[in-house]
Amino acid sequence: MPLSLHEISIGVMLPKLRMLSTLLDKAAAHAEADTLAEARLAPDMYPLSGQIQRVSDAAKFGAARLAGLTPPPFEDTETTLAQLQERLARTIAYLESVGPDQIDGREEETVILPLRDRKVEFTGRSYVLTMVLPNFYFHVVTAYDIL
């Protein structure tokens, strides 16, 4: 049986979001936890807060575009681990609300990604495989590296 679009998108992202939530719980137990939200690997990279925000955005925008929905707006104002946990929880809840019936069968549907100066068109399948998942995993791994 072939993999469905829902399985290769939401089915892949949900466990990683939950893993990041667990890692934030563990990080909160350390003495330097108060400074972790602003920790970064290099001066020109997003701090942990920015990495979690990008993970969240990749997941919610990816799911929304695949399903033809408008994603919920999340402000990028998180500055504490508790706020980042809440963001992950809202992202997980949103992904759980997007069912297979909203995504499966849309593999060849056009997905338009607005960029600063242009719009890029993908099929649903190519959007997940060449844009959503690589971006999502980059920021998951970078958040993990910071922690």
Side-chain angles (χ1 to χ4, degrees), residues 53-64:
Q53 291 160 354
R54 300 297 78 73
V55 165
S56 169
D57 286 348
K60 71 180 178 121
F61 282 113

Side-chain angles (χ1 to χ4, degrees), residues 123-140:
T123 64
R125 180 183 292 110
S126 67
Y127 175 61
V128 169
L129 295 174
T130 66
M131 197 61 144
V132 175
L133 291 179
N135 188 43
F136 178 82
Y137 272 111
F138 174 83
H139 293 290
V140 167

Side-chain angles (χ1 to χ4, degrees), residues 43-56:
D44 63 343
M45 292 181 76
Y46 286 120
L48 178 63
S49 58
Q51 300 299 335
I52 298 292
Q53 291 160 354
R54 300 297 78 73
V55 165
S56 169

Side-chain angles (χ1 to χ4, degrees), residues 35-51 142-143 145-147:
T35 62
L36 280 176
E38 291 308 311
R40 58 182 79 221
L41 293 178
D44 63 343
M45 292 181 76
Y46 286 120
L48 178 63
S49 58
Q51 300 299 335
T142 305
D145 290 343
I146 291 170
L147 290 168

Side-chain angles (χ1 to χ4, degrees), residues 24 27-28 32-40 47-54 74-88 90 146-147:
L24 288 179
E32 68 276 359
D34 291 341
T35 62
L36 280 176
E38 291 308 311
R40 58 182 79 221
L48 178 63
S49 58
Q51 300 299 335
I52 298 292
Q53 291 160 354
R54 300 297 78 73
F74 294 174
E75 298 295 323
D76 293 339
T77 57
E78 298 85 6
T79 59
T80 67
L81 294 184
Q83 291 170 337
L84 292 171
Q85 280 287 31
E86 174 57 30
R87 172 121 180 194
L88 287 174
R90 287 184 290 142
I146 291 170
L147 290 168

Side-chain angles (χ1 to χ4, degrees), residues 18 60 63 65 71 74-75 91 112 118 136:
R18 291 183 181 113
K60 71 180 178 121
R65 287 185 182 119
F74 294 174
E75 298 295 323
T91 305
I112 298 174
R118 61 192 165 97
F136 178 82

